[in-house]
Amino acid sequence: MTKRLTKLIDKIKVKTLAMAQDVCNSMDDAMEAILSSSDDKYQAMKQREDNIDSLEVEIEESILGTIAVHQPVADDLRILAAMLKITNDLERIGDYAIKIAQRGKDIDANLIKSIKTPLSKLGTSSIQMIKDAVQALDAGDADLAQKVRDADDQVDDLNKSLIKELSKIDDDDFESLVALVSISRRFERAADHATNIAEDVLFWLEGRIFRHGET
C-alpha cells in the first residue's frame, strides 16, 4: 500500500466514523424523544440528517475516486468496498431515527408509560448493536462484529414480544397503537442494518461474505 493510498483510506474511515457518530446520536435522541414524549430534539435531528446525507455522498465519491485512481487490491479494496456499503446502512439507520421521532409525536404519553419497559429494552438493544458495529469498524474487531451478528435474534424477539403486548392493549387510540408498531419495527430494522455493518467489517477483516443468514 502506498503512503498516498493509506492516507486516503484513513481519511475516508474518519469521515465514515463521523457519519456513524451522527447516526448514533440521532438514534439516542429518537429514543429519548419517545420515552419523554417530547419533540425538543427533533430540529437538531433534522439538521443532523442533512449532514448525514451529505457525508454519505462525499464518502461515496471519495471511495469510487480512490478505487478508480489507485486500483487497490486485497485488504485495501475490501475496506473501501465495506465502507461503501456501511455508509448506505448508516444513512438508512439515520432515516429510521427521524421516522421514529416523527411517529412518536402521534402517541399518547400514557400509552408510552404502559409499555415503557419493553419499548426501552428494544430501543436500547437496537442502539447498542449499532454502536458495537461502529466500534468494530473503528477497532477492526472481528469478535465484536460477530457479537453484533449474534445479538440480532434477540432484537427480533424483543420486537415480536412488544408487538404481541401491543395487540393485547384495550385502547381506543388506534393511531397511537399503529405508531408504536411502526416504531418497534423500525428499531428492529435498524438492528438489521447494524448486522449488515458488522458483516461488512468481517468481510474487510476476514474476506468472508455473508448472505441470507449464512454463518
Side-chain angles (χ1 to χ4, degrees), residues 33-34 37-43 46 98-109 112 175-176 179 183:
I34 295 170
S37 299
S38 169
D39 61 358
D40 292 344
K41 294 183 177 292
Y42 186 69
Q43 282 306 119
K46 286 296 293 181
I98 291 291
K99 290 174 182 175
I100 287 168
Q102 284 175 330
R103 294 313 302 266
K105 298 177 183 180
D106 301 328
I107 304 172
D108 178 73
I112 288 286
E175 185 177 1
S176 289
I183 286 169

Side-chain angles (χ1 to χ4, degrees), residues 56-189:
E56 182 192 19
V57 173
E58 186 178 336
I59 293 166
E60 181 175 336
E61 289 175 346
S62 296
I63 290 173
L64 294 177
T66 298
I67 291 173
V69 172
H70 294 275
Q71 298 182 340
V73 296
D75 290 353
D76 301 336
L77 181 58
R78 288 205 305 270
I79 190 172
L80 289 170
M83 287 191 293
L84 187 62
K85 295 176 65 181
I86 285 169
T87 53
N88 180 258
D89 282 301
L90 287 171
E91 191 275 334
R92 292 296 301 278
I93 295 171
D95 285 346
Y96 286 135
I98 291 291
K99 290 174 182 175
I100 287 168
Q102 284 175 330
R103 294 313 302 266
K105 298 177 183 180
D106 301 328
I107 304 172
D108 178 73
N110 290 325
L111 183 56
I112 288 286
K113 290 178 182 178
S114 71
I115 49 88
K116 185 174 182 178
T117 298
L119 176 60
S120 179
K121 190 171 183 179
L122 170 62
T124 300
S125 297
S126 175
I127 292 168
Q128 190 60 54
M129 281 182 64
I130 298 163
K131 291 179 177 180
D132 284 347
V134 171
Q135 178 59 31
L137 171 65
D138 187 15
D141 189 334
D143 290 338
L144 184 55
Q146 185 58 50
K147 177 185 174 183
V148 174
R149 293 190 76 234
D150 294 340
D152 189 48
D153 287 342
Q154 180 187 5
V155 171
D156 289 345
D157 290 341
L158 289 171
N159 171 52
K160 292 174 184 175
S161 178
L162 178 55
I163 291 176
K164 186 176 181 179
E165 286 297 314
L166 291 171
S167 70
K168 296 177 182 178
I169 293 176
D170 184 14
D171 196 310
D172 293 334
D173 190 353
F174 184 71
E175 185 177 1
S176 289
L177 290 171
V178 170
L180 277 169
V181 169
S182 175
I183 286 169
S184 181
R185 286 176 172 165
R186 285 188 169 108
F187 274 125
E188 188 270 334
R189 288 296 296 136

